[in-house]
Amino acid sequence: MRQGTAPGAKPTQPAGGTLIAQQTYANIATFLRLPYSRDVQDADNVLLGGPYDTATTFRPGARFGPQGVRMGSAQLCELKSFPHGFNPLEHVKAVDYGDVYFDHAMPHTIPGAIERTAAEIIRHDAFLTTFGGDHFITYPLLKAHVAKYGPLALVHFDAHPDTWPEVEGKEVELNHGTMFYRAVKEGLIVPEKSVQTGIRTWVDDKMGLTIIGAPEVHETGPAAALGKIRKIVGKHPAYLTFDIDCQDPASAPGTGTPVAGGLSTAQAFAILRGLGSLNIVGMDVVEVAPPYDQAEITPIAAATIAYDQLCLAAIKNAAKSQA
């Protein structure tokens, strides 16, 4: 257990139970060894798994993503957070809800199951972080959050824009590469307030979303990308979605649709750790596919992304306590 605290903040205990010290290598398979609980009434942060990969168009395996991310979080429990130097779990009440339950033999029921589970959690005013699963799960998650907060800015990190449109006048196929096309058409996303970062695949119609391509990040640096994201999104309520294939396959090989030339882990962290001023109301980390991974490289990166956002929540809580 880490001992550091954020200055001025009152330490709190996790909702639903007490953290118990365990060896790092012990198989206590919840995120950050948090209490496993379906009681979220007193939690302000909830972690949820969406083990679904039937909407993937290339390599399946992201159904094992939530399990992998939880295992990848084990080392994050040992020390104070970096670069912040405190234990975020002393300043946020968090629980691991487990995974959404659905029947893979009845695929038409799965989006509704994800949406209902998310809606049940966020109605208690908890911040929901979901681990995928392929990127399609963001679509029902967005619907649940929009029902509570209204149309959202999309803060999207990916190799792909996921806005591929209708083909030959036919209704667009709904999968992990088309769901944001559908989301824009349905008014879930506010295009002029939305940014897609790390993109390195072509789409003819950007649908009004700003694209910061991976080459632009390489050329101008993470700070410039962060500044552009902040300017475009402003204070509009936003949903953060991080497809792990935003990172180059060298730093995140365990994913279903890898694309060369992506962001490094360090570049991604530099941008994500600067998003604390945004009004992010929910997030997910998706497309982690452990069967294609090596030495837990990808789950560790994904777990750290979620952990960093938990640290930003702790910093906000500390600021409120000082106000």
Side-chain angles (χ1 to χ4, degrees), residues 272-317:
L272 290 164
R273 287 169 177 166
L275 298 179
S277 64
L278 300 187
N279 181 19
I280 296 173
V281 299
M283 70 169 289
D284 59 57
V285 184
V286 297
E287 296 287 355
V288 175
Y292 310 107
D293 200 51
Q294 171 65 29
E296 290 188 290
I297 295 171
T298 310
I300 288 170
T304 307
I305 288 167
Y307 178 71
D308 280 349
Q309 296 305 304
L310 198 64
C311 289
L312 294 183
I315 291 171
K316 287 183 177 179
N317 283 0

